[in-house]
Amino acid sequence: MTVTIIAGARPNFMKIAPLIREIQSRPEDNIHFRLVHTGQHYHENLSQVFFNELGIPQPDVNLGSGSGTQAEQTAKIMVEFEKELIANPSDLVIVVGDVNSTMACSIVAKKLNTRVAHVEAGIRSFDLSMPEEINRMVTDAITDYFFTTSAFANENLRKSGIPATQIFFVGNIMIDSLVWSSGKLKQPAVFKTQHLNPHNYFVATLHRPSNVDDSENLKRIFQVIEESAGDMKVIMPVHPRTAKMLSGINWTSDKIILIEPLGYLEFIYLISNSLGVITDSGGVQEETTYLGIPCVTLRRNTERPETVTQGTNELIGDDYPKLRESIIGIKSGKWKRGEIPELWDGKTAKRIVDILSRI
Ligand code: UD1
Ligand code: UDP
């Protein structure tokens, strides 16, 4: 069987790495893959670093789509991926996550009558103001094989009429990367330069348009974090979308330390040793739940509700008094303890490849 694996943006790389490693370790299964990088992310620290650190082979092709508006980026990926798939047909296109590359490539594949497998299918925020929710809905409307992370995802798919025979509850592949990385983590330079000690600092990551695209909003979030953190430093690896906004708002602080986006092994080291995390990332909500680190999410909803009901995550939306209260609560040790959701066990890639070998 030949499969085409798609990756394009930062959160895709830690999802394809375990899958590729598993396929490569089982030559007897005769799964031959072609790796396509759409080029959605191209900054060294948002792309190449993950290939180096997670042992992902260099892509067979990079479609070079780059940035643009929602439509421009999606269209560029579709035009280039159509040429690619016509030139290199395959039995199955595997897409992961919910970024524009995920939706664009699944549409192209299906229109070329190629089957589609979606890893991380079925999750929903029910918030159509997020481009990711549209990507999830469109991708899942044309997917053939749904690999899911949670009972919530299974239920959403069943409710939308997907037959149970097409839904495979395999667990969370992000956690495969997390388990694999244990013992390989690297201390980032900021640890020494800022004299950090385990559990005496916070980490913040923000990149959702709803938080960072409005400069007043972003300023307000920074002010609240700065005021509530007290004598603790807050280390913030800055996504390029956020960097663009920050360059316009004249922000200076000796408490919120802005650094370049980190590689995976350094980022996981940083959050693993932190007292708590403030984020709007999807993946970081899951990683903190697995690691048992308190997580405050600046979103009103989440497509990963098990991180709240079972894990260490709390949603605070744009309720700034609650943000302050949460940071102070974490500092005084008042935070819920979580548990690890079912099948977040580091063996998801194995379960996926077992299924691929049967179909
Ligand atoms: C994308 C995903 C989002 C995901 C995030 C992970 C979509 C709709 N959004 O958002 O779901 O959470 O990636 O990080 O697919 N830029 C660079 N260098 C790069 C990439 C981007 O400078 O390598 C800058 C560009 O100015 C670009 C902006 O960041 O316009 C946004 O990039 P884009 O890929 O459109 O969306 P993200 O915000 O990264
Ligand atoms: N991440 C990283 N370096 C950073 C910030 C995040 O390696 O500086 C990793 C993080 O561990 C997680 C993934 O990137 O696995 C999440 O990506 P992101 O927050 O960009 O996207 P989302 O999950 O919100 O779609």
Side-chain angles (χ1 to χ4, degrees):
M1 168 167 159
T2 58
V3 301
T4 298
I5 300 175
I6 307 293
R10 177 165 68 186
N12 295 161
F13 304 122
M14 48 297 286
K15 295 171 193 167
I16 62 160
L19 189 60
I20 290 178
R21 211 175 298 120
E22 184 68 21
I23 291 174
Q24 285 177 326
S25 73
R26 295 163 60 164
E28 66 283 7
D29 286 2
N30 270 319
I31 300 175
H32 303 282
F33 70 90
R34 189 169 164 82
L35 177 56
V36 174
H37 190 320
T38 66
Q40 177 173 347
H41 282 177
Y42 42 87
H43 186 299
E44 162 84 20
N45 288 12
L46 261 63
S47 175
Q48 187 57 44
V49 66
F50 300 103
F51 286 77
N52 304 342
E53 290 192 342
L54 301 175
I56 306 171
Q58 283 310 299
D60 292 286
V61 62
N62 188 317
L63 305 178
S65 67
S67 306
T69 65
Q70 291 293 314
E72 282 165 351
Q73 190 176 61
T74 305
K76 277 196 249 173
I77 299 169
M78 287 181 71
V79 169
E80 294 308 315
F81 183 55
E82 185 176 52
K83 292 182 207 156
E84 154 63 27
L85 194 58
I86 289 171
N88 299 284
S90 79
D91 299 313
L92 180 71
V93 170
I94 303 180
V95 296
V96 300
D98 56 16
V99 300
N100 285 347
S101 303
T102 312
M103 177 184 75
C105 293
S106 60
I107 296 174
V108 168
K110 204 61 196 161
K111 289 199 167 189
L112 289 173
N113 291 321
T114 306
R115 287 174 295 164
V116 174
H118 184 198
V119 176
E120 210 182 85
I123 60 175
R124 295 287 183 273
S125 66
F126 305 106
D127 176 357
L128 283 155
S129 70
M130 294 179 68
E132 294 83 359
E133 183 68 359
I134 299 169
N135 294 341
R136 292 180 200 115
M137 291 167 69
V138 173
T139 303
D140 286 344
I142 52 178
T143 286
D144 297 278
Y145 305 103
F146 299 83
F147 293 113
T148 62
T149 50
S150 65
F152 171 69
N154 299 339
E155 192 50 30
N156 290 332
L157 291 171
R158 275 190 216 113
K159 277 188 196 149
S160 65
I162 307 295
T165 49
Q166 283 174 260
I167 304 170
F168 303 94
F169 179 30
V170 289
N172 192 336
I173 203 156
M174 289 279 279
I175 305 304
D176 286 26
S177 277
L178 202 52
V179 170
W180 175 87
S181 70
S182 128
K184 302 182 183 72
L185 300 181
K186 293 195 241 168
Q187 190 181 75
V190 70
F191 219 81
K192 289 224 161 67
T193 56
Q194 293 298 325
H195 311 290
L196 305 179
N197 285 310
H199 312 299
N200 81 338
Y201 63 93
F202 285 89
V203 178
T205 81
L206 296 173
H207 70 276
R208 295 279 162 222
S210 57
N211 285 321
V212 308
D213 280 5
D214 178 313
S215 58
E216 282 311 307
N217 209 18
L218 188 58
K219 236 187 203 166
R220 187 79 195 107
I221 294 172
F222 271 49
Q223 277 164 355
V224 176
I225 295 177
E226 165 123 7
E227 285 158 19
S228 332
D231 54 1
M232 295 220 178
K233 297 235 162 98
V234 182
I235 312 300
M236 183 169 184
V238 183
H239 186 285
R241 176 187 281 279
T242 315
K244 256 205 253 171
M245 285 314 292
L246 281 174
S247 60
I249 68 167
N250 226 0
W251 173 265
T252 53
S253 162
D254 54 4
K255 206 173 282 173
I256 303 180
I257 312 296
L258 306 177
I259 59 173
E260 286 287 305
L262 291 172
Y264 183 76
L265 300 177
E266 293 180 315
F267 184 74
I268 299 297
Y269 181 103
L270 194 67
I271 61 170
S272 301
N273 284 287
S274 71
L275 185 64
V277 175
I278 301 150
T279 194
D280 57 15
S281 158
V284 175
Q285 294 174 62
E286 297 178 331
E287 289 159 344
T288 46
T289 274
Y290 184 83
L291 295 166
I293 301 283
C295 180
V296 183
T297 297
L298 282 102
R299 285 179 49 187
R300 292 191 180 145
N301 47 55
T302 180
E303 57 292 328
R304 294 152 162 102
E306 63 283 0
T307 61
V308 177
T309 54
Q310 288 180 263
T312 51
N313 187 21
E314 281 296 336
L315 299 181
I316 59 152
D318 56 1
D319 183 338
Y320 299 129
K322 215 162 172 190
L323 172 58
R324 181 194 316 271
E325 219 177 90
S326 301
I327 294 173
I328 292 170
I330 293 172
K331 281 198 301 181
S332 60
K334 285 191 206 122
W335 201 256
K336 61 181 173 179
R337 296 199 192 289
E339 57 183 50
I340 297 176
E342 191 184 355
L343 297 188
W344 291 24
D345 59 0
K347 295 179 186 145
T348 293
K350 179 183 178 312
R351 287 187 281 266
I352 293 177
V353 177
D354 286 347
I355 292 160
L356 292 181
S357 310
R358 291 205 306 266
I359 59 180

